[in-house]
Amino acid sequence: MDEANNISDIRLHGSNDKLIIVGSGRVAMFIYKIALLLGYCITVVDNNAETLSRERFSEASELLLGDVVQLLRECAIDETTSIAIVTHHHEYDEPALLAVINSPARYVGVMSNRHAVTNYFSKFESLGITEEHINQVHAPIGLDIGGQLAAEIALAAVAEIQAVKYHRSGGFMITKQSNREVEKRDDLF
C-alpha cells in the first residue's frame, strides 16, 4: 500500500480528532499541512480573505471567514478538539483565547510571547477565569525543539498537540543505560 492510500485511510477511518486553527498565515498553513497528515478534521478561522482560501487550505473541513471571536463561539468544541491560536501579529490572540479558554477542548495553545500571555492571564483572573483553565493553556505554543522558521514552529505545535493527546511529556524516546549504551524502545521498532 502506498503512502497516499495510508493517508487516505487515516482520514477515512482514523481518529475523530478535530483541530481549530485560528489564523491563516504561514505558521497556520504549516500546522494545517502536518495535522492533515495525522488525520485531523481541520477548521481554519480568520478574518483575512487573502490568506484564508481553498487554495491554501484545500482539504480543510471548514474555512470560517469573519469575526474570529464570534466564529469561535459558534464552533462545536469538545474533548477531542485541539485549538491552535496563531493569528497575524497576535492581533486576535487575547480575544480568541478568551473565547475558548472555558471550553472542554483537549488542547489550547497560543503562539504569543510569554510577556503578552502573562498580561492576558492577569486580565483573565480579574474576569473570574479559574486558575485551572488558565493553567491548561499552552503558551507559547509548541514543544521546545528549537527552530525559528514557520514550518519549525508548526512542527513544534503539532508535536505538543500530539503529546497532550497521548498524555505524554514530549521528551526523548531513548533511554541511556548505566554503561552509556543507547537502548531503543522495542515497541517502536
Side-chain angles (χ1 to χ4, degrees), residues 12 17 27 39 45 49 58 78 87 89 93 98 104 111 123 127 134 159 163 166:
L12 292 175
D17 295 323
V27 172
V45 180
S58 61
D78 62 23
T87 65
H89 297 297
D93 289 355
L98 189 56
M111 192 169 65
K123 289 179 191 175
L127 294 173
I134 290 171
Y166 291 111

Side-chain angles (χ1 to χ4, degrees), residues 117-134:
V117 170
T118 300
N119 288 335
Y120 303 160
F121 291 165
S122 294
K123 289 179 191 175
F124 293 173
E125 285 176 350
S126 69
L127 294 173
I129 306 295
T130 66
E131 189 173 332
E132 179 184 356
H133 281 108
I134 290 171

Side-chain angles (χ1 to χ4, degrees), residues 10 13-19 39-41 78 80-81 106 165:
I10 290 171
H13 308 292
S15 69
N16 294 322
D17 295 323
K18 296 177 278 192
L19 174 62
Y40 280 84
C41 177
D78 62 23
T80 65
T81 306
R106 173 174 53 214
K165 173 183 175 179

Side-chain angles (χ1 to χ4, degrees), residues 13-189:
H13 308 292
S15 69
N16 294 322
D17 295 323
K18 296 177 278 192
L19 174 62
I20 298 172
I21 303 170
V22 183
S24 58
R26 289 183 50 75
V27 172
M29 185 181 63
F30 286 116
I31 289 173
Y32 158 80
K33 287 180 177 185
I34 297 167
L36 193 63
L37 292 172
L38 297 173
Y40 280 84
C41 177
I42 303 169
T43 298
V44 185
V45 180
D46 204 353
N47 65 352
N48 186 342
E50 287 182 33
T51 55
L52 185 66
S53 68
R54 277 286 164 204
E55 290 173 348
R56 288 170 64 92
F57 302 99
S58 61
E59 295 183 60
S61 296
E62 292 184 286
L63 299 181
L64 302 177
L65 178 65
D67 182 311
V68 170
V69 172
Q70 185 60 38
L71 291 168
L72 283 172
R73 288 184 180 140
E74 295 169 2
C75 284
I77 299 171
D78 62 23
E79 304 79 24
T80 65
T81 306
S82 296
I83 303 168
I85 301 172
V86 291
T87 65
H88 186 65
H89 297 297
H90 311 294
E91 185 177 0
Y92 296 99
D93 289 355
E94 183 180 351
L97 185 54
L98 189 56
V100 299
I101 197 164
N102 287 320
S103 75
R106 173 174 53 214
Y107 174 91
V108 176
V110 61
M111 192 169 65
S112 272
N113 64 54
R114 291 179 204 277
H115 177 72
V117 170
T118 300
N119 288 335
Y120 303 160
F121 291 165
S122 294
K123 289 179 191 175
F124 293 173
E125 285 176 350
S126 69
L127 294 173
I129 306 295
T130 66
E131 189 173 332
E132 179 184 356
H133 281 108
I134 290 171
N135 289 338
Q136 291 177 346
V137 175
H138 297 262
I141 198 170
L143 295 180
D144 184 9
I145 60 173
Q148 299 294 316
L149 300 175
E152 294 168 329
I153 295 166
L155 176 62
V158 176
E160 184 175 60
I161 290 168
Q162 290 297 104
V164 168
K165 173 183 175 179
Y166 291 111
H167 308 285
R168 302 294 183 149
S169 66
F172 291 109
M173 293 293 290
I174 58 173
T175 57
K176 296 187 180 185
Q177 296 177 341
S178 61
N179 63 2
R180 296 288 194 210
E181 289 180 29
V182 175
E183 179 183 315
K184 295 181 182 179
R185 288 184 42 176
D186 291 337
D187 57 338
L188 297 178
F189 301 96

